[in-house]
Amino acid sequence: MKRVIVIGAGFSGISAATKLANDGYDVTVIEKNSMAGGRARVFEEQGFVFDMGPSWYWMPDIFERYFAEFGKKPSDYYQLKRLDPSYKVIFNTADEISLPANMQKLEELFESIEIGSSKRLADFLEESKYKYDVGIGEFVWKPSISITEFFDIRLASKAISLDLFASFGKHIRKFFSNERLLQLMEFPILFLGATPQNTPALYSLMNYAEIALGTWYPMGGMYEIVKGIVSLAEEKGVKFKLDEPVTSISVEGKLAQKVITNKGEYEVDIVVGSADYHHIEDKLLSDETRNYNEQYWDKRIMAPSSLLFYLGINRRVDKLTHHNLFFDEDFNVHADEIYTNPKWPTKPLFYASAPSKTDNSVTPEGCENLFVLIPIAPDLEDTEAIREKYYAIVMERLEAYVGHDIRNHVIYKKSFAVNDFKAEYNSYKGNAYGLANTLFQTAFLKPSLKSKKIKNLYYTGQLTVPGPGVPPSLISGLVVAKQVNKEFKAS
């Protein structure tokens, strides 16, 4: 039985490990932190349960497809609830829009904002569904090792119809002109790590995902997903080693022979790197066995980092829904300060999640659990004084919106930013979401999932194909496992 070591217990690593174990490999996952989940870890303080990273459950079909790979369903491991409204966008204290889950109500909302937009919304979503069916149904399941994978005439014709070479910003303006509607439709692009002007129009598939397929929540919190996929992995025979940082990969000739940790050595037949790609190349391998040099990495356009606050509040917070987007400052200025002229934002937009609006189990009775996120440029100076400055900015605006004091009711507070992303996840430049999904960092133009120098080393996760996010990470793990299977039959 061939021995596989997977470095890192994030979604992509667990996904790859489960598939390989299911196909007959002896698989061990080695994780530097004390729990599995990667960026999707959880912690509990004073009765408050905080998901540390991902907070949106989109693309439920991908989770269904993942579990179906092993004859299971998400409901075997956790229970989902569809959110209604899906989320709320706050433009100012007197102007907000809540997105209804019901399509008819959504069309009525659009029509009330811009005459004729309900029909254009239907047309836009029909087109976006096609992109979703092709992009998520076919393109993202390719290993993208070679451009020739996309030479299939059927796929090539679809690539043209997917508007790969148009920008999302231009594309969306063919359908809508009202500024508020444009912001509503452009917001999911923020999760892809680039401005709408620099994001391929292909990614309007994200709008189909969030509008038509819905925004969901696993009761108990996002970590329930991690518990579910870990449980499934262990059912398939995957072994997990936690609190065990990998220190190097021993290579002889063109083969990885051992994975070395702070606790011992593991002889291997195959290595799958699910930890930060740059970290593996820079810290675990010698220069001559790297796929890419430092100059290559420095030229990559990274998705944003984040300044996060986890707040336990000893009262309920008025007016908030589960997901709240504060677009009460200039989006273009903030985007410029992330992507074009990187610096701490002058007047940041921010996101506030209150899962306690949906799930009483994550807080003590009568309390609120608040997760606040400010997207920022990666690799910025990160000090406690800077964090406190932005805490004050955000809380002032949040209190102005809800109409009552919050800060004096905060009984637990923790921040997390660039330095923590580097320390906790070995994240390149402290990024939170991997590589930006720009045209020239899509598919085979991303860092390769296969080592060019070491025959039995593969990569998976948000710095390779198909990209950042929980569903793409699950796909990434399955794709790399299938590539391993293609090249190394289990024995």
Side-chain angles (χ1 to χ4, degrees):
M1 186 180 286
K2 287 190 171 67
R3 298 156 300 181
V4 179
I5 292 293
V6 177
I7 303 171
F11 281 103
S12 64
I14 299 170
S15 171
T18 307
K19 176 61 177 170
L20 289 169
N22 189 64
D23 291 344
Y25 295 80
D26 177 13
V27 186
T28 301
V29 179
I30 303 177
E31 167 59 45
K32 73 180 281 288
N33 290 316
S34 60
M35 68 175 69
R39 285 163 166 76
R41 293 184 299 159
V42 68
F43 71 95
E44 183 173 349
E45 286 287 346
Q46 300 177 35
F48 296 94
V49 179
F50 295 100
D51 283 311
M52 293 187 68
S55 59
W56 295 79
Y57 193 107
W58 281 345
M59 303 183 183
D61 56 312
I62 299 299
F63 294 91
E64 290 164 9
R65 182 167 174 175
Y66 176 78
F67 284 103
E69 184 86 24
F70 311 103
K72 300 287 187 177
K73 305 184 296 294
S75 59
D76 293 330
Y77 300 95
Y78 53 86
Q79 300 305 310
L80 287 173
K81 180 177 181 178
R82 184 165 184 176
L83 301 183
D84 189 9
S86 299
Y87 54 91
K88 179 189 285 190
V89 179
I90 295 99
F91 297 104
N92 58 57
T93 54
D95 185 10
E96 62 184 50
I97 297 176
S98 293
L99 272 286
N102 178 277
M103 187 60 69
Q104 182 179 338
K105 290 181 179 178
L106 183 65
E107 289 177 355
E108 291 170 358
L109 171 65
F110 269 60
E111 194 67 23
S112 71
I113 296 172
E114 181 179 319
I115 300 296
S117 64
S118 60
K119 171 65 169 66
R120 293 194 294 275
L121 174 64
D123 294 342
F124 173 79
L125 289 176
E126 182 179 356
E127 184 181 293
S128 300
K129 180 183 186 303
Y130 174 73
K131 292 177 182 177
Y132 189 88
D133 290 344
V134 177
I136 300 298
E138 298 182 43
F139 276 18
V140 299
W141 295 91
K142 292 185 167 294
S144 297
I145 292 173
S146 166
I147 190 174
T148 58
E149 295 170 34
F150 299 88
F151 282 175
D152 180 308
I153 292 193
R154 183 174 55 90
L155 286 177
S157 65
K158 288 179 178 178
I160 295 169
S161 63
L162 290 174
D163 287 334
L164 276 177
F165 301 106
S167 85
F168 182 90
K170 286 183 179 178
H171 177 70
I172 195 67
R173 282 163 177 76
K174 294 177 183 177
F175 296 89
F176 311 105
S177 58
N178 180 273
E179 195 59 36
R180 292 192 302 162
L181 290 186
L182 289 171
Q183 288 190 326
L184 283 178
M185 302 303 280
E186 287 180 341
F187 123 75
I189 301 305
L190 295 176
F191 290 88
L192 299 173
T195 64
Q197 289 70 36
N198 292 327
T199 300
L202 162 66
Y203 290 105
S204 64
L205 63 84
M206 291 289 288
N207 298 100
Y208 175 76
E210 56 110 351
I211 291 173
L213 301 181
T215 300
W216 301 77
Y217 173 78
M219 296 303 289
M222 294 292 285
Y223 198 72
E224 294 300 307
I225 310 167
V226 178
K227 287 159 65 175
I229 63 173
V230 167
S231 177
L232 174 56
E234 290 176 336
E235 289 171 40
K236 298 298 179 182
V238 176
K239 299 174 285 292
F240 287 85
K241 303 286 187 180
L242 304 176
D243 283 315
E244 191 167 346
V246 172
T247 55
S248 65
I249 300 171
S250 175
V251 178
E252 293 181 18
K254 292 188 175 181
L255 289 173
Q257 301 285 349
K258 294 178 182 178
V259 170
I260 301 163
T261 75
N262 67 342
K263 294 182 180 178
E265 299 181 352
Y266 298 82
E267 294 187 354
V268 297
D269 297 298
I270 297 153
V271 179
V272 177
S274 173
D276 182 272
Y277 199 136
H278 173 268
H279 170 75
I280 292 173
E281 291 218 314
D282 187 49
K283 301 300 183 186
L284 308 187
L285 295 172
S286 58
D287 288 350
E288 63 271 16
T289 57
R290 297 173 64 172
N291 271 354
Y292 308 102
N293 61 25
E294 199 61 33
Q295 184 180 26
Y296 168 89
W297 283 109
D298 192 50
K299 287 183 176 179
R300 294 313 92 192
I301 299 172
M302 304 307 298
S305 186
S306 299
L307 170 55
L308 307 171
F309 294 102
Y310 310 99
L311 306 175
I313 301 162
N314 67 0
R315 62 157 290 169
R316 304 298 279 183
V317 178
D318 296 342
K319 296 179 70 172
L320 296 182
T321 59
H322 190 119
H323 296 300
N324 309 270
L325 298 154
F326 282 79
F327 280 24
D328 51 340
E329 295 290 358
D330 192 318
F331 170 86
N332 293 319
V333 172
H334 191 170
D336 179 77
E337 292 169 341
I338 294 175
Y339 301 108
T340 309
N341 299 295
K343 62 180 178 180
W344 280 94
T346 311
K347 295 180 178 179
L349 282 65
F350 67 95
Y351 158 66
S353 175
S356 39
K357 296 292 184 185
T358 303
D359 186 355
N360 290 330
S361 74
V362 299
T363 61
E365 187 176 352
C367 295
E368 209 81 88
N369 168 335
L370 209 57
F371 169 92
V372 177
L373 181 153
I374 305 172
I376 58 174
D379 220 19
L380 295 179
E381 178 189 13
D382 177 16
T383 67
E384 194 60 34
I386 292 172
R387 295 186 189 194
E388 284 303 305
K389 171 187 172 182
Y390 283 89
Y391 177 71
I393 290 172
V394 164
M395 295 306 285
E396 185 173 332
R397 283 160 53 194
L398 191 55
E399 288 174 340
Y401 169 68
V402 303
H404 63 76
D405 175 63
I406 299 174
R407 277 172 281 190
N408 288 326
H409 293 275
V410 173
I411 58 174
Y412 178 79
K413 173 186 166 190
K414 175 184 172 72
S415 64
F416 196 99
V418 174
N419 292 346
D420 302 296
F421 280 103
K422 292 177 180 179
E424 299 287 325
Y425 310 124
N426 295 314
S427 173
Y428 182 57
K429 295 186 176 180
N431 80 83
Y433 301 106
L435 285 179
N437 275 332
T438 62
L439 177 59
F440 294 104
Q441 292 182 167
T442 294
F444 55 86
L445 298 174
K446 288 183 183 288
S448 175
L449 63 72
K450 183 170 169 51
S451 172
K452 303 169 186 176
K453 311 284 180 65
I454 303 168
K455 290 183 178 180
N456 58 343
L457 173 60
Y458 300 80
Y459 295 93
T460 186
Q462 64 177 10
L463 289 179
T464 183
V465 292
V470 177
S473 291
L474 289 174
I475 293 170
S476 184
L478 293 179
V479 168
V480 81
K482 289 173 182 176
Q483 189 65 28
V484 169
N485 236 343
K486 182 179 175 182
E487 299 177 15
F488 294 85
K489 296 298 182 185
S491 61

